[in-house]
Amino acid sequence: MHAEALSALGNLFGDRLRTSLETRICYSFDATGKKFLPDAVVYPVNAEDVRQTVLLANFHRFPVVPRGAGSGFSGGSLPVQGGVVLSTERMDRIISIDTENLYAVVEPGVVTETLKLEARKRGLFYPPDPASLKFSTVGGNIAECAGGMCAVKYGVTRDYVLGLEAVLGTGELLRTGVATAKGVVGYDLTRMIVGSEGTLGIVTRATLRLIPLPEAAATLLALFHENRRSAETVNAIVAARVTPSAMELMDRTAIDCVQALMPVQLPEGTGSALLLEVDGAEGQVAREANLLTEVCHAHGAIEVRRASDAPGREELWKLRRSISPALRRVAPVKLNEDIVVPRSRLADMFAFLSDLSDRRNVRIVTFGHAGDGNIHVNIMVSGTDADEARRAEEAVAEVFHKTVEMGGTISGEHGVGISKAPFLEMEVGPLGVAVMKRLKACFDPNGILNPGKIFLDEAAVRV
């Protein structure tokens, strides 16, 4: 960046502009482990700060990379072409919660769990629950259209965004959507910005739908000998016309990882686990929990554990929640892909992944949101073996090809970023890519916002 540009940012932000190496390193990486050093970091406190930053970027031609907590797995917040990282961490106010019309108005830096807890105090529920909810931010969730464990029943972030305020690549402040239950005026610009990874606009405020908090919940942990049985049970549950609020599947390697970190008593021969949760009115929860137990046993469950009180439910969730931290014990680097296949193809995909692991000689740990066919495929590597890294990258490409062949998608909740950019056309086709690029040019004609993401061949900021 030119000195003139940094000077202009200094005049705008004062001590909220940071250029020290120490600070820039802190904003150079995300959950992918990849690193790209920005030229500077700024901390806006309102929409006008964001707007002025983008106007300066257009004048001096530097990239602006919006960033929430940096918890993404696709590289969406990495400053791959340098420029300014715009951290939304100081825009963290819950502006209002409307208990009559059931919505909240928040700034992008609000931590997801903070919003969920504040809604809960009022008997309300904000369902999106990415695994990173304790530190990821609403703005980041919107940028990537985050999902989570409740998506099978409640949907993903997109389903709860009623309206947005966002700064476009031109520096204009756009307001989209409504704060009402319905609204169909014009194109749905809200949905266009959700999941656009900060390439179309920088969200400065969001109106989010809330729903009544479920009265009761019950959690079940069903243990099976093999993944095929678990996958078949998922389809049987759907066929039984029950929609659990969570259906999480863990394979043998994921269970082994957790056992190494935190021993959990499991029956001999456990090769797969299915964590199920139902919620709603108390009587309904009891009936559905009974039905799920019957279905699991009918499809070969070795054991089904059940809890309805909060401590008991939390104990059952330990196995699932401990997987991610436990993976670091397997290998320091993981290639975490979030494919989605039709539920009816889950067993086929697990069989393919097992074969792939043997053929490529790479360790693959799989778990995820089986209820919506969303599998987290973690290819574990040392990070110091070039041949192992090559085999892992080839395995990733095979996984994506197989996913598309099965009628699935290469990303259910992580986005494209830089990790999946080489495979975008494989799923959406050349015309799909071309139309997306035309839309990008409309929102951001000079390529200021988060350049280098989604599109493999996107050029640097246009001068």
Side-chain angles (χ1 to χ4, degrees), residues 21 148 151 172 194 270 345 398 448 455:
L21 180 61
E172 297 165 293
V194 175
T270 299
R345 303 299 303 273
E398 276 203 58
I448 296 297
F455 308 114

Side-chain angles (χ1 to χ4, degrees), residues 165-188:
E165 177 188 88
V167 174
L168 306 184
T170 56
E172 297 165 293
L173 187 66
L174 175 70
R175 293 186 177 86
T176 73
V178 295
T180 53
K182 293 180 177 178
V184 291
V185 176
Y187 295 135
D188 192 341

Side-chain angles (χ1 to χ4, degrees), residues 23-234:
T23 299
R24 290 187 290 137
I25 288 174
C26 291
Y27 292 85
S28 68
F29 60 90
D30 66 0
T32 63
K34 296 175 180 174
K35 297 177 183 176
F36 298 88
L37 203 60
D39 295 296
V41 181
V42 296
Y43 304 88
V45 295
N46 54 44
E48 185 59 18
D49 281 349
V50 177
R51 205 176 71 79
Q52 291 297 330
T53 302
V54 175
L55 288 173
L56 283 175
N58 275 278
F59 185 79
H60 293 284
R61 292 292 198 266
F62 59 80
V64 177
V65 181
R67 180 184 173 102
S71 56
F73 279 102
S74 63
S77 64
L78 296 176
V80 295
Q81 296 179 9
V84 171
V85 165
L86 185 147
S87 171
T88 59
E89 62 196 80
R90 298 191 188 184
M91 298 176 69
D92 61 350
R93 292 182 303 150
I94 296 177
I95 295 166
S96 65
I97 294 181
D98 188 322
T99 57
E100 293 184 343
N101 295 296
L102 303 187
Y103 67 80
V105 179
V106 305
E107 292 184 325
V110 171
V111 172
T112 310
E113 186 181 54
T114 302
L115 173 61
K116 292 172 78 74
L117 292 174
E118 286 302 314
R120 190 180 185 87
K121 290 176 185 174
R122 295 160 176 81
L124 297 173
F125 185 31
Y126 178 65
D129 64 338
S132 57
L133 66 90
K134 290 184 181 298
F135 50 91
S136 67
T137 62
V138 169
N141 292 176
I142 290 172
E144 302 296 333
C145 192
M149 299 176 195
C150 291
V152 61
K153 180 174 182 178
Y154 293 106
V156 297
T157 299
R158 175 190 297 121
D159 302 306
Y160 295 88
V161 182
L162 293 172
L164 292 172
E165 177 188 88
V167 174
L168 306 184
T170 56
E172 297 165 293
L173 187 66
L174 175 70
R175 293 186 177 86
T176 73
V178 295
T180 53
K182 293 180 177 178
V184 291
V185 176
Y187 295 135
D188 192 341
L189 298 178
T190 304
R191 282 203 163 215
M192 196 168 291
I193 292 174
V194 175
S196 66
E197 308 185 20
T199 63
L200 301 183
I202 302 174
V203 173
T204 53
R205 186 171 289 200
T207 303
L208 304 173
R209 185 165 69 94
L210 305 174
I211 61 176
L213 188 67
E215 177 184 315
T219 304
L220 297 89
L221 180 65
L223 305 169
F224 298 84
H225 286 300
E226 57 182 343
N227 284 332
R228 183 176 60 83
R229 288 288 192 183
S230 294
E232 290 172 354
T233 302
V234 168

Side-chain angles (χ1 to χ4, degrees), residues 214-295:
E215 177 184 315
T219 304
L220 297 89
L221 180 65
L223 305 169
F224 298 84
H225 286 300
E226 57 182 343
N227 284 332
R228 183 176 60 83
R229 288 288 192 183
S230 294
E232 290 172 354
T233 302
V234 168
N235 290 314
I237 289 170
V238 175
R241 301 295 179 260
V242 178
T243 305
S245 53
M247 278 204 276
E248 297 293 305
L249 193 153
M250 296 152 274
D251 75 355
R252 174 77 246 180
T253 51
I255 295 169
D256 286 345
C257 289
V258 176
Q259 290 283 47
L261 178 70
M262 176 194 69
V264 178
Q265 293 298 320
L266 298 175
E268 190 173 345
T270 299
S272 180
L274 202 55
L275 188 79
L276 306 167
E277 188 155 282
V278 288
D279 63 6
E282 202 158 328
Q284 170 201 341
V285 166
R287 284 193 302 276
E288 291 186 346
N290 288 338
L291 181 55
L292 292 185
T293 303
E294 290 174 14
V295 172

